[in-house]
């Protein structure tokens, strides 16, 4: 595995909104607005672009305004301005690309792709549209197409901050470090983003171009036994997710299962029980365990997730050897967390096994790893596995977002997360399909407790071939995750649903299937 496939998934999945096109009739004023934008003063940039739009409107000024509003996470206002831009300039590539960005942020992937494609039909040299298509292709697990689109964008606009950043990420060491340091020097963003980017650069320097998570030998297929993790009390928290509602815990022991773990051996010195978590990335272990087995610190790293508290400050560490059943990996990096959990020693994301067809069979208490299906040439020239009963998901680093319909027609992207103790959805989506009430359910995630928790009277989640009715579904705000990803996360499909299913994940082609096992 290469470093980029496991480290800082949110960072490498998110596209910065810098250097919007601004060649309007009022060039000097527009340039000033762009300067404010590039220096990270997005509120002042939005005001400056708004002034241009009010006096001498142009599609480029509208694009700058939309990008500024998206950086401020004011998605409603960005959508409104992109709508106005298209009303005034329906044939403009810049306006179409900006509307694609607004739709991408809303999680409307197909609609965003349509707008980027339409922009390129108007102007094949629209760099922002090529960047948009690269975002779509990357999320849809089409890395070669994404790389080609990004290459075209960089050739057309090497001074664009978005393009500079993602072009740099794709370069080999040490060119990637040089490109990212250039980006940090010339463009500003919010403090959280810049901290992530600096941490990422530090990590790349620590790795010095070394390959990581190298299989020691070829293993065609494997089977790993999973052990149930039981809820010790009436409410429990684990992984990325949330505490189970008290009313969901009954005396039946099987209903008290909060997740499943597997055994890993580290440096042949320590054995750990780690929760299998489709919402986690790579391998996370406690500081106590890291010190016990002699993990060497590489660089600092902070994590944000569900919750209203400060980021979790840990570090990346080097582990010479990780053994999981028949599998043996050399030259691994792991995330070390300061937090300890009495019921397990850490987390392991299913993306560790992404070179296989990953079958998470929770009802059978087994993880099956099998060869990936053969590739078939498609009409677009991209080799893909045949879809069959599989559904396309959108991948942002380790995060898998599932297109989901809620109720009769509301749509959103839901995170597949075996580490979440409950299914949930955002209050914004919940209000569109049900009555929302206050709730006393405790929700706890990677970033601590969630302050404002609600519940929806009733909702029906439809994903893949399945329909799942829910009463009193938990709802809470996850806009921080949506902002980091650059697209809307409307909720979580968590352990209560996935525990009754065999989930089959093809990371290579961005496909997932489910088999219900009552």
């Amino acid at each position: 595995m290469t470093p980029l496939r496991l480290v800082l998934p949110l960072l490498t999945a998110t596209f910065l909104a810098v250097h919007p096109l601004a060649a309007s009739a009022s060039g000097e004023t527009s340039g000033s607005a762009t300067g404010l934008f590039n220096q990270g003063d997005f509120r002042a940039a939005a005001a400056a672009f708004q002034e241009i739009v009010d006096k001498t409107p142009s599609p480029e000024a509208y694009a700058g305004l939309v990008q500024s509003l998206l950086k401020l996470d004011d998605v409603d206002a960005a959508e409104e301005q992109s709508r106005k831009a298209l009303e005034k300039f329906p044939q403009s590539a810049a306006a179409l690309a900006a509307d694609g960005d607004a739709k991408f942020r809303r999680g409307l992937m197909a609609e965003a792709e349509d707008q980027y494609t339409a922009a390129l039909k108007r102007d094949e040299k629209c760099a922002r549209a090529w960047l948009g298509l690269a975002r779509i292709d990357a999320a849809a697990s089409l890395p070669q197409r994404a790389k080609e689109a990004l290459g075209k964008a960089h050739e057309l606009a090497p001074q664009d901050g978005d393009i500079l950043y993602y072009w740099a990420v794709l370069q080999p060491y040490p060119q990637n470090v040089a490109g990212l340091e250039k980006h940090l020097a010339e463009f500003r963003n919010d403090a959280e983003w810049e901290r992530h980017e600096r941490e990422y650069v530090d990590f790349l320097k620590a790795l010095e171009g070394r390959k990581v998570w190298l299989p020691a030998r070829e293993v065609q297929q494997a089977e790993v036994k999973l052990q149930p993790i039981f809820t010790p009390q009436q409410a429990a928290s684990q992984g990325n997710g949330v505490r189970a509602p008290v009313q969901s815990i009954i005396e039946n022991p099987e209903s008290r299962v909060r997740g499943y773990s597997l055994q890993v051996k580290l440096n042949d010195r320590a054995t750990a029980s780690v929760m299998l978590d489709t919402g986690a990335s790579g391998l996370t272990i406690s500081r106590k365990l890291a010190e016990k087995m002699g993990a060497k610190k590489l660089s600092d790293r902070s994590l944000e997730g569900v919750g209203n508290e400060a980021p979790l400050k840990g570090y990346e560490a080097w582990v010479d050897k990780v053994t999981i059943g028949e599998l043996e990996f050399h030259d691994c990096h792991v995330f070390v967390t300061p937090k300890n959990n009495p019921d397990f020693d850490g987390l392991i994301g299913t993306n560790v096994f992404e070179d296989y067809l990953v079958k998470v069979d929770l009802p059978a208490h087994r993880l099956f790893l099998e060869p990936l299906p053969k590739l078939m040439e498609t009409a677009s020239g991209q080799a893909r596995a045949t879809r069959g009963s599989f559904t396309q998901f959108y991948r942002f680093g380790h995060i898998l977002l599932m297109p989901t319909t809620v109720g009769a027609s509301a749509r959103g992207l839901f995170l597949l997360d075996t580490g979440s103790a409950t299914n949930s959805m955002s209050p914004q989506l919940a209000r569109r399909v049900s009555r929302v009430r206050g709730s006393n359910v405790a929700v706890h995630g990677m970033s601590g407790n969630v302050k404002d928790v609600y519940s929806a009277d009733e909702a029906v989640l439809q994903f893949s071939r399945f329909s799942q009715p829910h009463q009193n579904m938990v709802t809470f705000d996850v806009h921080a995750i949506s902002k980091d990803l650059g697209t809307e996360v409307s909720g979580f499909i968590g352990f209560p649903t996935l525990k009754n299913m065999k989930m089959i994940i093809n990371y290579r082609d961005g496909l997932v299937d489910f088999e219900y096992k009552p």
Side-chain angles (χ1 to χ4, degrees):
M1 293 187 180
T2 63
L4 297 181
R5 290 168 67 179
L6 285 181
V7 69
L8 293 184
L10 298 189
L11 179 61
T12 57
T14 312
F15 280 74
L16 298 174
V18 279
H19 205 285
L21 299 177
S24 71
S26 303
E28 183 177 350
T29 305
S30 181
S32 175
T34 300
L36 291 167
F37 193 105
N38 291 344
Q39 292 306 307
D41 193 346
F42 304 117
R43 196 166 302 281
F49 280 120
Q50 183 68 64
E51 184 178 355
I52 300 169
V53 164
D54 292 339
K55 292 180 179 179
T56 55
S58 71
E60 291 78 18
Y62 268 114
L65 178 56
V66 170
Q67 293 296 334
S68 300
L69 292 168
L70 288 176
K71 285 300 294 180
L72 292 168
D73 207 32
D74 193 344
V75 184
D76 290 341
E79 288 178 324
E80 176 64 17
Q81 293 302 326
S82 67
R83 181 188 63 78
K84 291 180 179 179
L86 286 177
E87 286 180 355
K88 291 181 179 293
F89 306 100
Q91 301 302 314
S92 166
L96 286 163
D99 191 56
D101 289 343
K103 287 180 167 53
F104 188 97
R105 176 59 181 82
R106 187 60 80 183
L108 303 174
M109 296 297 179
E111 291 88 337
E113 184 173 10
D114 288 344
Q115 294 300 77
Y116 295 136
T117 302
L120 290 172
K121 287 181 179 179
R122 305 298 195 278
D123 179 5
E124 64 180 9
K125 294 184 178 181
C126 180
R128 299 290 304 187
W130 283 116
L131 177 60
L133 286 183
R135 298 171 79 187
I136 296 287
D137 289 339
S141 298
L142 293 166
Q144 187 56 41
R145 278 190 11 184
K147 184 175 181 180
E148 291 171 359
L150 188 58
K152 292 177 181 178
H154 184 256
E155 181 180 351
L156 291 165
Q159 79 287 355
D160 184 294
D162 290 9
I163 296 167
L164 172 60
Y165 174 79
Y166 276 93
W167 177 84
V169 166
L170 294 179
Q171 302 311 299
Y173 180 84
Q175 290 94 327
N176 51 5
V177 170
L180 291 169
E181 288 182 333
K182 174 180 172 63
H183 178 264
L184 281 166
E186 296 180 3
F187 301 95
R188 298 302 306 273
N189 209 303
D190 61 50
E192 179 183 312
W193 174 273
E194 291 184 355
R195 173 171 48 79
H196 276 305
E197 190 170 355
R198 288 192 176 91
E199 288 176 347
Y200 184 44
V201 169
D202 289 343
F203 177 77
L204 290 176
K205 289 179 177 179
L207 278 186
E208 297 181 316
R210 290 174 289 183
K211 302 295 184 181
V212 296
W213 285 87
L214 300 174
R217 58 184 176 274
E218 184 177 354
V219 178
Q220 289 292 323
Q221 57 187 40
E223 177 180 334
V224 181
K225 185 177 181 180
L226 302 177
Q227 295 287 347
I229 302 172
F230 292 98
T231 305
Q233 298 175 352
Q234 287 189 316
S237 96
Q238 77 278 343
N240 301 341
V242 292
R243 289 178 177 166
V246 172
Q247 62 267 26
S248 71
I249 307 300
I250 59 177
E251 292 305 317
N252 183 339
E254 192 65 25
S255 74
R256 293 181 54 245
V257 174
R258 60 189 289 196
Y260 288 90
S261 67
L262 55 84
Q263 297 292 309
V264 301
K265 184 178 289 187
L266 306 168
N267 284 352
D268 289 330
R269 293 176 57 181
T271 300
S273 176
V274 293
M275 174 182 279
L276 184 68
D277 186 353
T278 58
S281 175
L283 179 60
T284 296
I285 61 175
S286 68
R287 180 174 295 169
K288 180 179 179 180
L289 180 60
E291 293 171 352
K292 177 181 179 181
M293 46 75 61
K296 301 175 183 177
K297 181 177 178 179
L298 291 169
S299 60
D300 292 322
R301 181 183 170 194
S302 302
L303 288 181
E304 292 85 13
V306 170
N308 298 108
E309 297 176 15
L312 182 67
K313 294 186 180 298
Y315 60 90
E316 290 284 347
W318 185 266
V319 177
D320 293 322
K321 181 179 176 181
V322 175
T323 305
I324 307 169
E326 301 175 55
L327 304 175
E328 182 179 310
F329 299 98
H330 290 176
D331 299 343
C332 306
H333 67 86
V334 301
F335 177 69
V336 178
T337 172
K339 288 188 175 181
N340 293 315
N341 192 298
D343 302 312
F344 47 86
D345 302 308
L347 305 171
I348 188 166
T350 45
N351 66 337
V352 166
F353 312 106
E354 63 183 43
D355 290 331
Y356 293 91
L357 185 68
V358 181
K359 297 185 176 181
V360 183
D361 194 340
L362 297 183
H365 302 182
R366 292 290 187 277
L367 171 69
F368 299 98
L369 305 174
E370 299 179 1
L372 286 162
K374 292 182 179 180
L375 293 170
M376 305 292 290
E377 195 74 16
T378 64
S380 65
Q382 174 74 40
R384 301 279 274 181
T386 55
R387 180 171 293 190
S389 60
F390 283 75
T391 301
Q392 174 79 60
F393 64 76
Y394 294 99
R395 181 181 181 185
F396 291 77
H398 66 285
I399 288 179
L400 311 182
L401 296 182
M402 187 74 185
T404 303
T405 301
V406 183
S409 59
R411 293 179 297 149
L413 297 175
F414 277 61
L415 199 156
L416 294 172
D417 190 359
T418 57
S420 176
T422 186
N423 298 308
S424 61
M425 61 178 162
S426 68
Q428 295 84 354
L429 184 62
R431 292 187 182 99
R432 294 170 56 189
V433 299
S434 180
R435 183 176 178 180
V436 176
R437 306 171 183 269
S439 174
N440 60 1
V441 172
V443 176
H444 185 82
M446 186 69 73
S447 295
N449 293 317
V450 175
K451 293 180 180 179
D452 300 313
V453 182
Y454 306 91
S455 67
D457 283 356
E458 56 182 292
V460 178
L461 298 185
Q462 300 175 64
F463 63 95
S464 184
R465 307 184 307 279
F466 300 95
S467 178
Q468 295 281 324
H470 295 275
Q471 296 287 335
N472 299 318
M473 189 173 183
V474 173
T475 77
F476 55 90
D477 189 4
V478 293
H479 85 273
I481 297 176
S482 300
K483 182 183 177 184
D484 282 345
L485 293 183
T487 197
E488 193 73 14
V489 176
S490 294
F492 291 74
I493 298 173
F495 184 75
T497 292
L498 299 177
K499 71 178 181 180
N500 297 316
M501 291 185 169
K502 179 180 179 180
M503 181 165 49
I504 307 166
I505 308 172
N506 176 347
Y507 279 97
R508 183 193 65 195
D509 300 304
L511 299 173
V512 64
D513 195 15
F514 304 87
E515 295 178 10
Y516 183 66
K517 301 180 74 173

